[in-house]
Amino acid sequence: MEKEQFFNKLKEDANKLNIELTGIQLKKFYTYMNLLLEWNEKINLTAITETEEIIKKHFIDSLTIKKYIRDNTSIIDVGTGAGFPGIPLNIVSTDSKIVLLDALNKRLNFLNEVIEQNNLKNIETVHFRAEEAGRSKMYREKFDIATSRAVAPLNILVEYLLPLVKIGGKCICMKGSNIEEEIENSKNAISILGGKIEIIEEFCLPGTDMVRNIIVITKINNTPAKYPRKAGTPSKEPIT
C-alpha cells in the first residue's frame, strides 16, 4: 500500500470513530507502522503484518477507547507489548500523560525507538511486571486510567489494573467477543479490588465484522494492601 493510500485508509477508518487525524498524526502512524514491521523481523512484536490489517486491528482498535478518556488524563497501558493502545492514544491525545508498562526490555527498546523517531511527548516506558508496579509507591493508585489489550482473562486482569488506579479513576479493558462468562467469573474479584463495572460496550471494529467489547470499571474503594499478590500468583490462582 502506497503512503497516500495508507493516509486515506487510516483517516477514513478514524473518521468512523469521530476522530479527525491531522497530516502530522498520519505521518506518525506511518512511521510507527514501518518501525513495527522492521523490528518485527528481529523480535516477535505482532503476527499482523498486512498494512490494512495493521490499520484496523492495531491502530483503529486502539483508538476505540479514546471516547472514554478525558483530556489531561494520566494513563498506564499495562502489558503494552508493541505499544497498543498506548502509542496510538498518545499520537491523538498529546495532552494526556501515558506510561507504557511491559516486562520485556526488548519490546521497550522498540517502543523507545518509536517515541524518539516520532518525537512523542508526555509518554514514557517502564520496565516492570504489573504486580510489581501495583505494589510500588510510585505507581500504586496514581493513575486516572489503567488500560490493557489482550493480556489476561478479566478476573486476572483486574488484579493487574485496579491497584494502579486512584479512587474515581477507571480501568478500560479491551476484549474480544463472547465475554459473558468472563464477566461473571470476575465480579467477585472486581468487588474485592475496589471496582464496579460501569459500562460494557459491544461493537464491530469499523469496516469489519470483528466483534469487540470494552469494559469500563470505576474504582470506588481503595484496593486492599494484599493486592496485587506476588508476581505470577494472579494468573496461577485467580480471585474467585
Side-chain angles (χ1 to χ4, degrees):
M1 185 182 288
E2 297 294 324
K3 185 190 285 190
E4 286 303 318
Q5 288 178 292
F6 172 89
F7 288 168
N8 291 336
K9 185 60 184 168
L10 179 55
K11 193 176 180 69
E12 176 190 323
D13 284 350
N15 284 340
K16 294 172 185 172
L17 298 176
N18 296 314
I19 296 171
E20 187 72 33
L21 296 176
T22 67
I24 291 172
Q25 289 169 336
L26 290 167
K27 288 176 183 175
K28 288 182 177 181
F29 275 111
Y30 190 69
T31 298
Y32 186 10
M33 180 187 71
N34 285 323
L35 286 169
L36 176 67
L37 293 173
E38 178 188 326
W39 278 69
N40 199 52
E41 294 181 4
K42 299 180 281 186
I43 63 172
N44 182 27
L45 292 168
T46 179
I48 298 168
T49 56
E50 294 294 326
T51 301
E52 192 162 344
E53 299 246 302
I54 290 172
I55 290 172
K56 290 184 185 296
K57 295 181 182 178
H58 283 327
F59 296 162
I60 296 301
D61 190 42
S62 294
L63 295 178
T64 58
I65 65 171
K66 184 182 182 295
K67 63 183 177 180
Y68 295 112
I69 300 172
R70 300 188 311 274
D71 293 339
N72 297 301
T73 297
S74 59
I75 304 166
I76 184 164
D77 176 9
V78 175
T80 185
F84 306 117
I87 287 181
L89 290 173
N90 175 265
I91 291 173
V92 301
S93 305
T94 54
D95 56 355
S96 290
K97 290 184 169 62
I98 300 180
V99 171
L100 305 175
L101 183 128
D102 203 88
L104 194 63
N105 255 324
K106 287 190 290 187
R107 287 196 286 257
L108 297 178
N109 292 336
F110 161 71
L111 298 173
N112 287 328
E113 176 81 358
V114 175
I115 290 167
E116 182 180 344
Q117 291 286 332
N118 272 323
N119 195 26
L120 301 181
K121 307 298 183 187
N122 291 327
I123 188 166
E124 63 176 312
T125 61
V126 174
H127 183 230
F128 250 139
R129 285 190 63 129
E131 302 96 324
E132 295 164 346
R135 302 189 75 84
S136 163
K137 289 181 181 178
M138 189 180 301
Y139 299 113
R140 185 178 179 88
E141 298 191 331
K142 291 292 193 291
F143 293 90
D144 299 311
I145 290 171
T147 188
S148 189
R149 190 181 83 138
V151 165
L154 192 59
N155 61 338
I156 298 169
L157 184 62
V158 290
E159 190 169 349
Y160 299 153
L161 300 186
L162 275 166
L164 296 163
V165 178
K166 60 181 77 167
I167 289 182
K170 301 182 188 303
C171 297
I172 303 178
C173 307
M174 306 176 72
K175 290 287 180 180
S177 57
N178 303 317
I179 59 164
E180 293 80 5
E181 185 177 352
E182 201 172 323
I183 289 170
E184 189 62 36
N185 291 340
S186 70
K187 284 180 177 177
N188 191 47
I190 291 169
S191 176
I192 287 170
L193 295 163
K196 180 183 179 183
I197 293 178
E198 181 183 332
I199 297 166
I200 302 171
E201 180 196 4
E202 183 178 85
F203 61 97
C204 281
L205 203 56
T208 77
D209 58 0
M210 291 180 283
V211 176
R212 296 286 190 268
N213 279 272
I214 295 171
I215 304 163
V216 180
I217 300 167
T218 301
K219 179 83 167 270
I220 57 174
N221 294 307
N222 292 110
T223 299
K226 68 179 282 190
Y227 299 106
R229 292 164 292 168
K230 68 180 181 179
T233 303
S235 58
K236 292 174 186 170
E237 302 170 20
I239 301 170
T240 56

